[in-house]
């Protein structure tokens, strides 16, 4: 019996009942041939009010055979309004009408509002029982036939038993979609403990949440039943399943961690997961908290819905993340996926959310600690580069669509209360969102966490997380008490309270700006130097009227690099002040020959001849720490950008300078870029970016360009034989920085154009020679990505065909250069059939190149080739490339 | 019948062949046959001859293997055992009562191999080679004859050659594949200039896409023997990618195997990994009667 006091601090469920001890899910038959599932669930329910006569549960696409409450037959109604969002008679056929109707339908079955598709009548015999608030057991028999979502069957069409074919099935879906495969309260806020049973073919393994208690053969010994117990209170939405003839690998470093993959892939699984224990160690250390579950399972499956899906004590990954030790490019990507999945185990699975509007906290924290892992693993440069990339993405998306709101508060549901009226969908439910919006939502959430970190320090941040985890961990070990278990749910207010308790700081303005309202800030900056007053007159304007923007009021950091050193200034951005006077420290530039101190304390010699003799300013940076979600358009002279590129040590500043230099095609810019390109200490991504900028500058300077085509001599020096410079060295990719540069330079060089706007013959021949002399026999690593990029380079060299009277493209009038390119593409694409490359990267590049040739009028525009590659049965990357080519015909 | 004149060598072989025929015939008689067709005798003779030849060939190999020139009894015994013959039955068989005695083949001279053309003087054995070893062959078979063209060793030429060779092979191979199978074409009016092997869907597409090809595996093994390791220090690289199997991994793999093979027994060793997925599957409980 529950004795719930009024005013309990705990989370108030919208339902007049509450789960307790166990929910049982038993799937006793899985038919791969028919793609069907038969089973039952048993929910133990505590009424919290008298006269409860209806129980609403979530269930989609399941066929319900029988419902019993405390062993009495119960009547039920099954109605899924999302199956027919707009009724046939509706005359309004527009997106707005659909969007409203869809949101209404989703609301009507929203578990967080106490709704559901399945409505069960409590038998009248039990009403007295209910009035005494006694336990009800609801037993539901159901089956599932050819599910369209939630549970995905992969059944290869070949001979042999299902296990021999590698047939498998797994749960999947976007947000809370467990109702697709068994009846439940499909909410992240409804926690209970679980008993899960799966009876499968003896050759198969069923992987699910919690501890595998035992595996028992059926009486005919042809099947076995996997019994799982999950004693940590968990939301139905975090329950998952994967069944298949998996190969099993116990993690050699952590025996409670088990990895599963499809047959034949075990060597790849070993290599791919050999790194995971380091991620575990990292998170446990920074959170000063043990991994919350007693075990962890990773399952790698085909046809994954998303690359990474995190559930209670297990994660389901795409099998395409597996790779051997020969593969360079996939390795960091896969490790990132593993780290993401593990971060979500702590925040997202173990700690769940109270409501949809608290989602940002979970995504924010898991994204933030994942960022810390990135910083530790790949270094500060990679981390800052990533933060800048994410910032650019969210800014571009918000400016395009009108804003992403992290913490929406909903009024009565009236149109005018809609906090996101600029969007063509409702943001009230996860299921009504666009996929892209949700991706950007997650991106913004972790960026905002970083802003909070900037405000309260990382130490406090980690203390807050630790507090959330230890509260949840204490709560999870308690027997059922609703207010205790609600400690495992995070809410926006609870999170903010915790921050204020731990740090003693008021972050309300920050939350109001970035969480409670949408939009980003758009700064325009320019400056003048007042020589008389020795003052930098900085003007910062904002655009806050365009869609997706908001007004920023508050502190803004500006860093000024002067001759005498680097100085930080904090400006107060206020309503009507645009101009800011910043006093300069350096008097003049008379004392030459002195080394210039940089922000990091380093002192360097600079050639100051390029700068303005009257000004001590080398370069200026607005918001260098990315403490505002903003876009900055700043004007400074070309030489300042060049100094910034050469001497500023922050990779974000270097990348900004490179992008700015595109507008200054001068020999000085060329020199600055070439120097960066040659500097081995420089971050490889900056060097890669410099390649493309150099190509653009070279094209703008085409009439005055001297010497060999841009980058050619550098490439020759770095990668070609000393004795015969036209022949590339045999591949050796041991130095990854060089490897990435070697891949990128030809791609950028192919963008060079001569005065006739054609790719110079010399460059084309150079790329063809790289292909011809490519020799990977002595290399420890695969060259599939390198070869793919050489094909990309060939495609980049293609320019529009000169067409006379729209003549039909035939072989006879084929441009001789194109003939050479086609020769290579044909050979590459055909060789892929005999010796396929990892992830078929070469096929992908060939398909893209063929589309480029078609689009430029060299080859007849015929989609049939792409259609055949888009068919089911090709590797997913190939299908996507082919589909993109097909879609391109509509453009 | 042939009208060719018989040479001494022919006579030599014919005489032995005839003896064999007699042997076969007497064995047949011994086995109770009264007559046999010529073809049957011929076939049996052929079989016997091959059998004896094989004993000889094999015994020679065994004796040379142990660096001898003359076969010993043990060479013959090993040979017979190897050929599936039960040697122990041989003495009894030789002493059987009903055996027939066959007259020795007529003495014919070993044919003389015609003298080959000799050029120059054969070199005597150097002191460290025992005298019973065969003589040196004619000098012209091993004496170096200098040629005027230098062999190709120039790096550039080698690379050029390797590149064009590979390209030619790939081109020929893919063209052959294209000719013999279905193709796709980029140009409607032409199917042979740029023939593309038709795209064929896989039943399990991820296998070919993810697993290294045999060529790559081979390459990995070859390069794994640290051919490149001296060039760069792996540990300083930003991505800590180790390619060699780490110790615990191997250890675990063996435990896995061990466990699956011992699936029945529960008394594992102390350091055996306790993982629920490695535990044996339980037998079903006997259903209780209600």
């Amino acid at each position: 019996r529950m004795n719930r006091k009024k005013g309990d601090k705990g989370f108030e469920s919208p339902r007049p009942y509450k789960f307790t001890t166990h929910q049982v899910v038993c799937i006793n038959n899985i038919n791969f041939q028919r793609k069907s599932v038969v089973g039952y669930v048993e929910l133990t329910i505590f009424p919290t009010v008298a006269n409860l006569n209806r129980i609403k549960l979530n269930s989609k696409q399941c066929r319900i055979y029988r419902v019993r409450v405390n062993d009495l037959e119960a009547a039920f109604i099954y109605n899924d309004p999302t199956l027919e969002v707009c009724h046939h008679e509706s005359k309004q056929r527009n997106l707005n009408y659909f969007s409203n109707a869809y949101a209404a339908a989703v609301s009507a079955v929203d578990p967080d509002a106490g709704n559901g598709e399945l409505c069960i009548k409590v038998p009248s015999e039990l009403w007295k029982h209910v009035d005494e608030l006694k336990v009800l057991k609801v037993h539901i028999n159901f089956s599932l036939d050819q599910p369209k979502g939630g549970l995905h069957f992969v059944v290869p069409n070949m001979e042999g038993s299902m296990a021999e074919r590698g047939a498998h099935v797994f749960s999947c879906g976007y947000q809370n979609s467990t109702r697709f495969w068994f009846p439940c309260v499909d909410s992240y806020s409804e926690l209970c403990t679980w008993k899960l049973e799966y009876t499968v073919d003896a050759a198969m393994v069923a992987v699910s949440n919690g501890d595998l208690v035992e595996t028992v053969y059926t009486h005919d010994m042809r099947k076995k039943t996997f019994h799982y117990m999950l004693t940590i209170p968990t939301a139905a939405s975090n329950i998952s399943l994967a069944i298949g003839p998996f190969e099993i690998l116990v993690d050699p470093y952590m025996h409670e961690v088990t990895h599963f993959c499809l047959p034949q892939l075990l060597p790849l699984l070993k290599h791919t997961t050999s790194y995971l224990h380091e991620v575990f160690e990292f998170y446990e250390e920074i959170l000063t908290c043990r991994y919350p579950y007693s075990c962890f399972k990773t399952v790698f499956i085909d046809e994954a819905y998303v690359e990474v899906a995190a559930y209670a004590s297990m994660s389901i990954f795409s099998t395409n993340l597996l790779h051997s030790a020969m593969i360079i490019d996939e390795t960091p990507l896969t490790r990132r996926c593993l780290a993401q999945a593990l971060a979500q185990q702590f925040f997202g699975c173990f700690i769940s959310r109270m409501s949809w509007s608290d989602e940002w906290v979970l995504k924010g924290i898991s994204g933030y600690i994942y960022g810390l892992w990135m910083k530790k693993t790949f270094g500060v440069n990679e981390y800052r580069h990533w933060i800048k990339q994410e910032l650019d993405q969210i800014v571009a998306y918000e400016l395009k669509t009108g804003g992403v709101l992290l913490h929406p508060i909903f009024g009565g549901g009236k149109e005018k209360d809609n906090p996101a009226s600029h969007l063509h969908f409702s943001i009230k439910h996860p299921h009504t969102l666009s996929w892209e919006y949700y991706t950007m939502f997650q991106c913004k959430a972790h960026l905002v966490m970083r802003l909070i970190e900037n405000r309260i320090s990382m130490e406090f941040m980690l203390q807050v997380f630790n507090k959330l985890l230890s509260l949840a961990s204490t709560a999870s070990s308690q027997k059922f008490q609703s207010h205790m278990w609600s400690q495992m749910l995070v809410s926006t207010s609870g999170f903010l309270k915790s921050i204020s308790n731990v740090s003693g700081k008021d972050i309300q303005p920050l939350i109001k700006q970035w969480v409670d309202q949408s939009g980003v800030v758009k700064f325009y900056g320019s400056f003048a130097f007042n020589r008389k007053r020795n003052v930098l007159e900085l003007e910062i304007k904002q655009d806050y009227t365009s869609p997706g923007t908001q007004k920023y009021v508050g502190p803004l950091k500006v860093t000024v690099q002067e001759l005498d050193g680097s100085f930080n200034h904090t400006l107060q951005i206020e309503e009507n002040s645009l101009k800011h006077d910043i006093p300069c420290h350096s008097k003049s530039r008379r004392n030459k020959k002195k080394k210039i101190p940089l922000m990091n304390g380093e002192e360097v010699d600079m050639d100051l001849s390029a700068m303005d003799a009257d000004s001590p300013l080398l370069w200026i940076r607005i918001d260098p720490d990315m403490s505002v979600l903003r876009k900055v358009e700043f004007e400074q002279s070309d030489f300042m950008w060049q100094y910034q590129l050469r001497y500023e040590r922050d990779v974000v500043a270097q990348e900004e300078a490179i992008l700015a230099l595109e507008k200054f095609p001068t020999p000085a810019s060329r020199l600055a870029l070439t120097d960066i390109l040659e500097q081995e200490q420089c971050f490889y991504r900056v060097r890669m970016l410099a390649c493309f900028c150099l190509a653009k500058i070279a094209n703008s300077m085409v009439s005055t360009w001297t010497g060999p085509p841009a980058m050619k001599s550098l490439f020759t020096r770095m990668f070609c034989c000393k004795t015969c410079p036209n022949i590339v060295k045999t591949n050796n990719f041991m130095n990854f920085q060089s490897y990435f540069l070697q891949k990128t330079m030809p791609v950028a060089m192919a963008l060079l154009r001569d005065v006739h706007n054609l790719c110079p013959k010399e460059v084309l021949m150079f790329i063809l020679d790289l292909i011809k002399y490519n020799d990977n026999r002595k290399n420890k690593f695969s060259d599939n990505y390198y070869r793919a990029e050489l094909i990309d380079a060939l495609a980049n060299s293609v320019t529009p065909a000169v067409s006379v009277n729209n003549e039909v493209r035939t072989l006879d009038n084929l441009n001789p250069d194109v003939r050479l390119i086609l020769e290579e593409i044909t050979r590459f694409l055909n060789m892929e059939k005999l010796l396929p490359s990892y992830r078929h990267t070469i096929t992908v590049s060939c398909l893209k190149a063929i589309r480029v040739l078609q689009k430029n009028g060299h080859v007849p525009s015929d989609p049939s080739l792409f259609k055949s590659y888009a068919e089911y049965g090709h590797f997913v990357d190939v299908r996507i490339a082919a589909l993109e080519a097909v879609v391109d015909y509509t453009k | 019948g042939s009208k060719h004149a018989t040479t001494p060598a022919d006579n030599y072989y014919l005489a032995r062949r005839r003896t064999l025929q007699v042997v076969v015939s007497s064995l047949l008689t011994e086995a109770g046959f009264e007559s046999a067709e010529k073809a049957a005798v011929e076939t049996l003779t052929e079989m016997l001859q091959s059998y004896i030849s094989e004993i000889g060939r094999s015994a020679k190999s065994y004796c040379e293997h142990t660096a001898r020139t003359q076969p010993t009894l043990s060479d013959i015994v090993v040979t017979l055992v190897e050929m599936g013959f039960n040697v122990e039955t041989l003495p009894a068989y030789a002493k059987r009562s009903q055996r027939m005695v066959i007259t020795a083949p007529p003495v014919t001279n070993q044919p003389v191999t015609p003298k080959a053309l000799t050029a120059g003087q054969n070199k005597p054995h150097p002191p460290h080679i025992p005298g019973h070893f065969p003589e040196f062959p004619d000098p012209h078979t091993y004496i170096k004859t200098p040629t005027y063209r230098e062999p190709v060793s120039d790096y550039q030429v080698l690379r050029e050659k390797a590149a064009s060779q590979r390209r030619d092979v790939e081109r020929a191979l893919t063209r052959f594949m294209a000719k013999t199978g279905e193709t796709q074409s980029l140009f409607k009016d032409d199917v042979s200039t740029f023939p593309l092997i038709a795209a064929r869907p896989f039943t399990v597409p991820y296998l070919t896409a993810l697993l290294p090809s045999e060529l790559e595996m081979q390459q990995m093994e070859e390069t794994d023997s640290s051919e490149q390791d001296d060039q760069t220090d792996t540990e300083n690289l930003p991505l800590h990618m180790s390619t060699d199997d780490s110790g615990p991994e191997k250890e675990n793999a063996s435990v896995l195997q061990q466990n699956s093979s011992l699936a029945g027994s529960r008394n594992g060793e102390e350091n055996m990994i306790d993982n629920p997925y490695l535990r044996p599957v339980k037998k079903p409980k006997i259903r209780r009667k209600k």
Side-chain angles (χ1 to χ4, degrees), chain A residues 175-193:
Chain A
Q175 287 278 333
N176 44 339
S177 42
T178 304
R179 67 185 89 171
F180 279 88
W181 59 288
F182 66 81
C184 58
V185 176
D186 196 6
S187 160
Y188 283 99
S189 61
E190 192 67 48
L191 307 180
C192 67
T193 55

Side-chain angles (χ1 to χ4, degrees), chain A residues 732 773-774 778 823 827, chain B residues 160 166 170-171 228 231:
Chain A
N732 176 6
Y773 293 114
N774 178 50
K778 294 258 171 75
E823 193 77 45
R827 201 167 39 83
Chain B
E160 177 75 50
R166 196 195 55 200
E170 286 183 2
R171 219 180 108 94
Q228 299 189 326
Q231 300 197 19

Side-chain angles (χ1 to χ4, degrees), chain A residues 233-438:
Chain A
T234 300
S237 316
N238 276 324
I239 295 298
S240 60
L241 168 67
I243 297 171
F246 298 125
E247 303 207 31
I248 300 172
L249 171 69
V250 176
D251 194 288
Y253 302 93
M254 309 169 288
H255 295 172
E256 57 277 60
V257 176
T258 320
H259 311 291
F260 301 86
C261 69
L262 292 164
Q264 299 183 50
L265 300 177
L266 190 62
L268 303 187
L269 182 74
K270 270 187 194 171
H271 177 75
T272 306
T273 58
S274 63
Y275 170 76
L276 188 69
H277 65 284
E278 289 186 34
V279 191
F280 261 96
E281 280 163 25
F282 176 79
Y283 286 140
E284 289 188 348
E285 199 179 313
I286 61 158
L287 298 169
T288 46
C289 171
R290 297 256 351 195
Y291 173 70
Y293 299 98
S294 52
C295 63
F296 182 58
K297 288 139 284 184
T298 68
V299 191
F300 292 81
I301 43 81
D302 189 26
E303 298 183 11
Y305 184 72
V306 283
E307 292 213 305
V308 182
Y311 302 97
S313 83
M314 77 182 267
S315 287
I316 297 180
F317 297 95
S318 162
T319 194
N320 304 332
L321 295 176
L322 296 175
H323 57 86
S324 73
M326 300 175 70
I327 304 300
I328 298 175
D329 302 45
E330 183 61 39
T331 305
L333 301 179
T334 297
R335 289 183 180 183
R336 281 174 161 210
C337 289
L338 293 176
Q340 258 172 340
L342 210 50
Q344 288 174 22
Q345 286 291 312
F346 291 89
F347 294 94
C349 297
F350 180 60
I351 294 194
S352 189
R353 66 177 192 228
M354 272 195 191
S355 71
W356 166 235
S357 59
D358 304 314
E359 169 78 348
W360 77 275
V361 181
L362 288 178
K363 288 294 169 205
I365 299 178
S366 60
Y368 169 79
I369 58 174
Y370 160 69
L372 295 181
W373 169 83
M374 284 251 296
K375 200 195 291 188
K376 185 243 167 192
T377 309
F378 299 115
V380 175
N381 286 346
E382 183 73 35
Y383 173 73
R384 286 187 65 87
H385 170 83
W386 175 65
I387 291 288
K388 178 67 184 0
Q389 217 177 17
E390 296 277 291
L391 181 61
D392 287 348
Q393 265 188 44
I394 186 71
V395 165
Y397 181 78
E398 293 209 41
L399 293 179
K400 187 182 87 186
T401 59
V404 171
L405 183 57
L406 290 184
H407 183 51
I409 294 162
F410 301 96
K414 292 267 159 36
E415 180 77 16
K416 63 176 189 294
D417 294 327
N418 183 358
S421 52
H422 54 277
L423 297 168
H424 66 271
F425 46 83
S426 162
I427 59 166
K428 202 169 173 181
H429 303 279
H431 293 282
T432 53
L433 290 190
S434 94
W435 180 264
E436 197 186 3
Y437 182 90
Y438 184 60

Side-chain angles (χ1 to χ4, degrees), chain A residues 214-215 217 228 250 258 326 331 728 732 734 772-774 776 778 811 823 827 830 839 868 873, chain B residues 159-160 166-167 170-171 184 190 195 197 202 209 219-220 227-228 231 237 241 252 275 277 282:
Chain A
E214 58 177 2
T215 317
Y217 278 115
Y228 283 91
V250 176
T258 320
M326 300 175 70
T331 305
V728 67
N732 176 6
M734 292 295 282
K772 181 177 169 191
Y773 293 114
N774 178 50
N776 207 50
K778 294 258 171 75
L811 263 176
E823 193 77 45
R827 201 167 39 83
N830 285 339
R839 291 193 78 145
S868 69
Chain B
R159 286 291 302 275
E160 177 75 50
R166 196 195 55 200
R167 172 170 302 220
E170 286 183 2
R171 219 180 108 94
Q184 286 165 317
D190 182 285
I197 301 172
F202 303 91
Q219 208 175 297
M220 193 154 58
E227 224 170 304
Q228 299 189 326
Q231 300 197 19
L237 294 173
M241 304 207 295
N252 183 52
N275 180 292
Y277 295 94
K282 291 183 184 166

Side-chain angles (χ1 to χ4, degrees), chain A residues 661-662 664-675 677-678 690-715 717 745 748-749 751-755 758 760 762-763:
Chain A
L661 282 177
E662 278 177 19
F664 302 101
T666 60
S669 297
R670 175 184 174 182
L671 195 62
L673 288 164
T674 319
D675 286 350
L677 212 49
E678 290 189 54
C691 292
F692 291 98
C693 182
L694 196 54
K696 281 187 190 150
I697 285 189
N699 290 346
S700 309
M701 293 170 65
V702 66
S703 53
T704 56
W705 188 269
T706 51
M711 293 171 272
K712 183 163 179 236
S713 46
L714 182 62
F715 189 97
R717 202 167 344 127
M745 262 200 254
M749 282 174 71
L751 294 167
L752 293 173
R753 297 293 178 262
D754 62 14
V755 279
L758 298 172
E762 186 183 353
V763 171

Side-chain angles (χ1 to χ4, degrees), chain A residues 108-123:
Chain A
V109 293
D110 181 11
D112 285 336
N115 297 328
E117 294 88 351
L118 179 64
C119 180
I120 299 165
K121 277 188 185 161
V122 177

Side-chain angles (χ1 to χ4, degrees), chain A residues 56-314:
Chain A
K56 285 188 177 175
L57 297 174
N58 295 111
S59 176
K60 256 180 187 294
Q61 75 184 354
C62 297
R63 179 173 299 168
I64 311 258
Y65 291 105
R66 189 178 181 201
V67 177
R68 278 171 295 164
V69 181
N70 288 11
D71 293 327
L72 294 168
E73 295 292 331
F76 61 91
I77 303 164
Y78 182 73
N79 174 34
D80 183 356
T82 60
L83 290 180
E84 198 187 358
V85 173
C86 298
H87 296 282
H88 282 308
E89 64 269 24
S90 103
K91 289 187 180 80
Q92 298 198 60
R93 291 186 162 268
N94 63 60
L95 198 52
N96 202 23
Y97 180 79
F98 171 84
S99 170
N100 287 334
Y102 185 53
V106 172
S107 274
V109 293
D110 181 11
D112 285 336
N115 297 328
E117 294 88 351
L118 179 64
C119 180
I120 299 165
K121 277 188 185 161
V122 177
S124 53
E125 296 93 317
L126 290 170
W127 287 0
K128 192 158 171 288
H129 183 87
V130 168
D131 287 346
E132 291 162 10
L133 303 183
K134 281 185 182 159
V135 167
L136 294 179
K137 289 219 169 181
V138 183
H139 187 102
I140 303 171
N141 290 76
F142 71 96
S143 77
L144 199 56
D145 237 355
Q146 312 252 355
K148 291 192 176 72
L151 209 59
H152 184 69
F153 283 87
V154 181
V155 185
N157 184 16
M158 58 197 265
E159 294 290 304
S161 73
M162 283 300 165
E164 284 160 1
R165 293 198 221 174
H168 56 287
V169 62
F170 58 92
S171 63
C172 59
Y174 164 73
Q175 287 278 333
N176 44 339
S177 42
T178 304
R179 67 185 89 171
F180 279 88
W181 59 288
F182 66 81
C184 58
V185 176
D186 196 6
S187 160
Y188 283 99
S189 61
E190 192 67 48
L191 307 180
C192 67
T193 55
W194 296 81
K195 185 172 191 296
L196 307 158
E197 291 178 24
Y198 308 98
T199 302
V200 302
D201 192 279
M204 299 244 183
V205 182
V207 187
S208 190
N209 318 91
D211 293 310
L212 175 62
V213 182
E214 58 177 2
T215 317
V216 185
Y217 278 115
T218 53
H219 286 274
D220 58 5
M221 299 292 279
R222 290 163 70 177
K223 289 182 173 186
K224 49 191 184 185
T225 306
F226 287 78
H227 295 266
Y228 283 91
M229 285 284 260
L230 180 57
T231 52
I232 288 181
T234 300
S237 316
N238 276 324
I239 295 298
S240 60
L241 168 67
I243 297 171
F246 298 125
E247 303 207 31
I248 300 172
L249 171 69
V250 176
D251 194 288
Y253 302 93
M254 309 169 288
H255 295 172
E256 57 277 60
V257 176
T258 320
H259 311 291
F260 301 86
C261 69
L262 292 164
Q264 299 183 50
L265 300 177
L266 190 62
L268 303 187
L269 182 74
K270 270 187 194 171
H271 177 75
T272 306
T273 58
S274 63
Y275 170 76
L276 188 69
H277 65 284
E278 289 186 34
V279 191
F280 261 96
E281 280 163 25
F282 176 79
Y283 286 140
E284 289 188 348
E285 199 179 313
I286 61 158
L287 298 169
T288 46
C289 171
R290 297 256 351 195
Y291 173 70
Y293 299 98
S294 52
C295 63
F296 182 58
K297 288 139 284 184
T298 68
V299 191
F300 292 81
I301 43 81
D302 189 26
E303 298 183 11
Y305 184 72
V306 283
E307 292 213 305
V308 182
Y311 302 97
S313 83
M314 77 182 267

